[in-house]
Amino acid sequence: MATYKQIIGLNVEAKSSDPTYAVEGQVWYNTTTGALKGAAATSVGAWASGGNLNTPRRALGGAGIQTAALAFSGDNGSNPVTNVESYNGTSWTETTDVNTARGFAGSSGKLYTAALLFGGTEPAYSAKTENWNGSAWTEVADLSTARNAIASGLGTNTSALATGGQGSSGQLSVNESWNGTSWTEVGDLNQVKTGLGGAGADNTSGLVFGGDTPGDTANTESWNGSSWTEVNNLNTARQYLGGAGTQPAALAFGGYSSPGTANQVITEQWNGTNWTEVADLSTGRYSIVGTGTSTLALAFGGQNPSPTASTEEWTGAGSIVTRTITTS
């Protein structure tokens, strides 16, 4: 009979903590918890509760991954706040505040140590941009068009898109590209929209979905670095929804549908061609933000019916998760 090492290529090791990157089928003994553990792939995607934010808020910014994220600024229901919190996969900790409090701003960043916050409501429409370097926020070049309700999640703190939103002239199709130093208006959206979701790796590729046109829309558009193309719609039209991931692999969750169900729990996954409805959020909400990937995402904040501190962690089908092995 083949041994465990012959099958998996690893010994059953004794470890003081669970490995950060385990492979499917790997087994180890956790000496701290006194438990035999293993890594398995999930068969279906699901949301699980995470640690609550210290400051409940809606319309906030976000950056990072599921186990190392940043939540910044936002609106407590009465006023914009400057609060910034970092997440370690279990709990949120207060860190350095932003310079200018604002809600309904755009945000980007794939690392919790490198993020960008732009636009929003101060309460006037804002063009201000702030860059986070892991320890401090610095004001950098303004947006060309002051606005709020901009798509978040499109890029990093050195390569990002500021797409859609609302300004003094009304709802916008404006799209600006950030190169780490300045904003430049590039190809506009095909449809004006505010309160839209977004996902993208940098300023050369991205996906935006949903929003208010006015009225809820399911419209989805894909960015190739120079222009937007309309692609297959969401299954459920909604606005002020969250997003995570990149252009070929994204997640859309939460939002507001009017009239009727204001707080959406619906989650949809994008495979580069189509949206498929997957497991619902535990708490329906809108003006929510997300970070991470389409298989390992984090959703936090939002409104239901008042600003919430709720955090949920998404593990997609096929993702590797740690399980305790019962031996008796």
Side-chain angles (χ1 to χ4, degrees), residues 15-305:
K15 296 177 174 288
S16 60
S17 62
D18 297 333
T20 303
Y21 302 104
V23 297
E24 185 177 5
Q26 183 179 350
V27 176
W28 64 93
Y29 180 74
N30 188 309
T31 57
T32 302
T33 62
L36 186 64
K37 294 192 173 185
T42 57
S43 57
V44 294
W47 290 99
S49 295
N52 284 349
L53 290 162
N54 294 288
T55 302
R57 46 194 144 148
R58 64 181 183 178
L60 64 165
I65 60 175
Q66 188 185 80
T67 55
L70 199 70
F72 39 97
S73 206
D75 189 311
N76 64 12
S78 300
N79 299 293
V81 299
T82 57
N83 300 67
V84 178
E85 302 180 38
S86 63
Y87 190 65
N88 63 4
T90 303
S91 61
W92 293 94
T93 302
E94 295 271 353
T95 185
T96 309
D97 288 354
V98 299
N99 294 290
T100 302
R102 60 192 111 166
F104 301 93
S107 62
S108 62
K110 303 306 179 186
L111 302 173
Y112 81 105
T113 55
L116 201 68
L117 175 67
F118 42 91
T121 306
E122 299 181 26
Y125 295 118
S126 177
K128 290 180 180 177
T129 302
E130 295 188 41
N131 182 71
W132 169 251
N133 65 3
S135 60
W137 292 92
T138 303
E139 287 200 20
V140 287
D142 287 356
L143 287 165
S144 301
T145 301
R147 49 197 155 128
N148 66 11
I150 309 166
S152 287
L154 291 162
T156 68
N157 72 327
T158 58
S159 179
L161 296 173
T163 308
Q166 180 156 328
S168 58
S169 62
Q171 292 177 320
L172 301 168
S173 61
V174 174
N175 182 45
E176 297 184 45
S177 177
W178 173 254
N179 63 5
T181 303
S182 61
W183 292 100
T184 302
E185 189 169 343
V186 286
D188 287 350
L189 289 166
N190 293 289
Q191 185 180 52
V192 299
K193 47 179 87 85
T194 186
L196 62 170
D202 53 35
N203 61 13
T204 66
S205 66
L207 195 74
V208 294
F209 35 89
D212 179 8
T213 60
D216 306 324
T217 182
N219 179 266
T220 301
E221 298 190 36
S222 176
W223 173 254
N224 65 3
S226 59
S227 62
W228 293 95
T229 302
E230 291 198 19
V231 290
N232 287 323
N233 287 352
L234 289 164
N235 293 287
T236 301
R238 47 202 154 131
Q239 55 185 278
Y240 292 96
L241 67 167
T246 59
Q247 193 266 9
L251 204 66
F253 43 87
Y256 177 92
S257 293
S258 57
T261 54
N263 302 321
Q264 287 284 4
V265 294
I266 294 172
T267 302
E268 298 185 41
Q269 193 158 12
W270 172 257
N271 64 3
T273 305
N274 296 303
W275 290 100
T276 301
E277 192 169 332
V278 289
D280 291 347
L281 284 164
S282 299
T283 303
R285 45 201 153 129
Y286 59 99
S287 296
I288 184 175
V289 72
T291 60
T293 68
S294 65
T295 55
L296 292 170
L298 198 67
F300 44 96
Q303 184 162 342
N304 176 27

